[in-house]
Structures are given as C-alpha cells and as structure tokens.
Amino acid sequence: MTLFEVRRLCKLWKKRLRVEDWTTTIGFGTPEQMDGNLGLTMYDPRNAVADILLAPEQADQTYLDGGMEHTIIHELLHLVMHGWIEYEKEDVLQERSVNVIADALYWAYRNRPRSKQ
C-alpha cells in the first residue's frame, strides 16, 4: 500500500469516525520506532493534533483482519475514545477492546451491499 493510499484511507475513516477536526499526519515508521507494533499514535487532545505511524511491512502482506486499513481504524479510534480510556499505562484489555471495535467497523463496511452507480 502506498503512502497516497494510506492518506486516502485515513481521510475516509476520519470522516466516518467524526474526527475530521483533528489535524493528523500519517506515515510509515521505522522498525525501531514501531518496536513490533503495527501502528502507533502520539496525540495532543488539547490541540487536536495526532501523528500516526504504521509498520511498513503490513503494506506487502495480506492480513486476514483487514491489514493496514484495520490498523488505521484502530489508531483513529484512540482519538475517538480519548477521555474514556486511560492511556497512561498500556492495558491489554483496552487494546483488545479497541481492536474488537475496529474489527466490527472494518467488516461492517467491507461487507455492506454496494449501491449501483
């Protein structure tokens, strides 16, 4: 997946998740930055600014869970859920919850009937 495609998907999902008011940058991280993660989000909720990094190896592999698009949804959900989840410490249950919601959104969108154009 190219950076252009990643940015297009990010813009699409920002609209769907109603976080268009956030200023976001999205790009590929280095292996050192990613530290085994598929995605990372650093954000400042007071200024509604977020930087999202994606693991570039996802671009070349087919993931059953929706791959990079799923990861984009997951990372944007962190913005949506800010204030509802405590992010000061990493919590496996919180990440699992965000993943379940991202799965549901991804598959609901991908499996919806397409209208004729």
Side-chain angles (χ1 to χ4, degrees), residues 38 55 57-68 70-71 106-107:
L38 295 177
E57 62 268 15
Q58 287 185 88
D60 298 326
Q61 298 181 26
T62 303
Y63 284 79
L64 294 177
D65 69 353
M68 201 163 285
H70 179 277
T71 303
Y106 175 82
W107 289 111

Side-chain angles (χ1 to χ4, degrees), residues 45-82:
R46 290 188 180 123
N47 295 306
V49 174
D51 295 314
I52 299 171
L53 293 177
L54 304 171
E57 62 268 15
Q58 287 185 88
D60 298 326
Q61 298 181 26
T62 303
Y63 284 79
L64 294 177
D65 69 353
M68 201 163 285
E69 184 173 11
H70 179 277
T71 303
I72 291 167
I73 298 166
H74 174 104
E75 296 306 322
L76 289 172
L77 280 170
H78 285 294
L79 307 181
V80 172
M81 298 178 80
H82 173 76

